[in-house]
Amino acid sequence: MGATAPRTSGSVRLVAFAAFAFCLLFASYRWNIFGIERATVANNIVLVDCYVVPSLDLYAGDSSLQGRIGEMQLLDGQGQYSPYVMSVGLQRIGYSLLAPGTRDGVDRAIPYLRGLIEALLALALTLFVIVVRREFGAPCAILTTVMLALSNWLIVFAPDLFWIPATFFMPFVVVWLWGDPASPVRQQRMVALLFTVCCFVKCLCGYDYTTNVLGAAAVPLLYYGLRRGVPWRYTLARIARYGALSFAAFSAAIVLQILQFKFVGNNTRGSLGAFLKEVHRRTLSNGEGLGTGYDNAVLSLLHRLHVSPLHDHAIEPYLVQLRPLLRYFRYLSMGALTIPLGGHALQLPIGLFVVGFALIAWLQRKRLKRALFSGASDRLSAWTVATLAALLITHLWVVAANGHMTHTFFNAIVFYIPFLPMAYVLLAVAIARWLERGVRAIRMKAQPIPENQP
């Protein structure tokens, strides 16, 4: 009985923490209770809904094969439908099964569908902070939860019917929950299978951020390997196996998409050649959907610095090559975290976390080197090394999808997969330790001095 009571008490505390984390995250993502990026949230819903809602309307009440597993459709300003070539459309299929069979019913169902995907995102991140609680304790996990609830682009993306942002984080979270190499072999096989399924589901909903989503598994695998003192060859082999599983899931999704276009939509755009052509445009081009906004901004700055407009024609070719770098700095300027302060708010940009972490990693390079090569590491050192890996993985999409990165209204979310959640934990650890030292100092001052001491 004596051994059961503490275990039961610990379970109750874990459930209470999970309920707190989920409710806070869901309230933030569902109702934006902190009032962060309200205009951007509303605008993003309008921009993204055109990928899902027209399809729901088009297939409403259709009991045929096309109605059940039809393609994702876009609706242009002239009322013409066209297939979206870069998505199997699992989310549309799922919404069609959940939504009523009439167009009016679809409109009524949309808010509930939004609530569902917001709850899924809150659940995914709740599972992540449960891992944080296990590794660093409740105060750090609570602080991490608050930061995730105040994260600009998680709030902006939470209502999106198209991306279903929970699918971005689920492969990452699954490996965090059960990817410890010290776990039984059966559990390791189970988590590998579940990871593959999560990658497959994400790819069925689109290929955006795939390098980040699929590569994020390396972060917990690296952390657990360092914590357990696992030989590097074994950790790298595990990362390679997970990479192969994620690639298999990605390839299977492409095959299903081609089959869907061929046999359901009977559309030639679903050929492998058409898919690869679209991939080429999104990866190797330097201007998918890009206007001259960046070029004009640089020229305007040069004009203010008294560079004559007569030189614009000679400068413009070089500005085209600078666009990726300019876009990157644009992403860094976007908000990673907003702290409400009454009538005002303090927005912390993504660049602050990127530069701040890089500086800390450089200052702690000797400690991190020891963590890499001296056997089992402490939790903080292992987490810092894993966060460095997360930062590198984050930049894979920036490089691989150069053409696609022109869409700055949503591409800042790459830093959340998987870098920013990891960085939030490090910041939470620092704050929790600072608060702990403060409380300890207050208690020491409050202790009475014994009468026999001067």
Side-chain angles (χ1 to χ4, degrees), residues 70-88:
E71 307 151 344
M72 189 78 77
Q73 296 281 330
L74 296 175
L75 182 63
D76 62 23
Q78 286 73 44
Q80 298 296 316
Y81 289 94
S82 61
Y84 182 64
V85 72
M86 293 302 289
S87 177
V88 183

Side-chain angles (χ1 to χ4, degrees), residues 135-214:
E135 298 298 315
F136 294 102
C140 180
I142 291 171
L143 290 168
T144 302
T145 303
V146 171
M147 284 187 268
L148 289 168
L150 297 174
S151 299
N152 295 52
W153 281 84
L154 292 177
I155 292 171
V156 168
F157 268 72
D160 281 355
L161 294 173
F162 178 69
W163 277 287
I164 313 183
T167 61
F168 297 164
F169 293 98
M170 282 311 301
F172 178 66
V173 169
V174 162
V175 183
W176 269 120
L177 284 170
W178 299 296
D180 192 330
S183 59
V185 174
R186 184 176 180 180
Q187 179 175 314
Q188 294 185 41
R189 292 172 178 170
M190 179 274 294
V191 70
L193 176 62
L194 188 55
F195 167 79
T196 307
V197 171
C198 289
C199 291
F200 182 58
V201 169
K202 186 271 171 286
C203 292
L204 290 179
C205 295
Y207 307 107
D208 294 285
Y209 316 117
T210 47
T211 57
N212 295 38
V213 173
L214 306 185

